Amino acid sequence: MTATTLDAALDLIAEIPDFPEPGVLFRDLTPLFGDAEAFAAVIEALGAAVGYDVDRLVAVEARGFVLAAALGYARRLGVALVRKPGKLPNVAGRVDYALEYGQATLELPVGSVHEGQRVAIVDDVLATGGTVAATAELVRSAGAVVTGVAVVLELADLGARERLPGLPVHALRTV
């Protein structure tokens, strides 16, 4: 993969103003997911960002599921799916947190990560860092070690890295 290929893939990310509410600029990865070569370039780059010293990937609902599933398949790694409330029959942990535009809750399924496992968090966009911080809290509460975070896009102006001290963050593109 060349930098040009990855840049072209990331250029497919669409910007949707005033969604999900006025003043928010939504980054839509749908065009990237729909282009096989672009998607492959992004998965390859996320794999390089995650590295090889991980036992499992942790994906954040919902676009993180797509990215982590593809990366997990490519690397032969299992994927733990962090869900929105009400989707799981057995919940190991639950965290409420603040979003850029409201409040949210995430839940970790029972048995999805294990004590001592080294896991990397995979998601599409890093904005305020609330979702990743909540996910890291869930994973750590299960006894696993978070090795880092890999995202496609980081919104630097929202200061997520300050909310994630000591956690390596790898973004394929920062805007």
Side-chain angles (χ1 to χ4, degrees), residues 102-118:
Q103 291 290 120
T105 301
L106 291 175
E107 296 178 339
L108 181 69
V110 169
S112 60
V113 296
H114 305 286
E115 189 166 338
Q117 275 189 321
R118 296 177 51 79

Side-chain angles (χ1 to χ4, degrees), residues 1 3 6 12 20 40 44 55 67 80 82 88 92 97 107 122 158-159 162 165 171-172:
M1 173 193 58
L6 180 59
L12 294 175
E44 187 176 318
D55 304 313
L67 296 164
V82 173
L88 299 171
Y97 66 101
E107 296 178 339
V122 178
L158 298 178
E162 288 93 49
L172 303 186

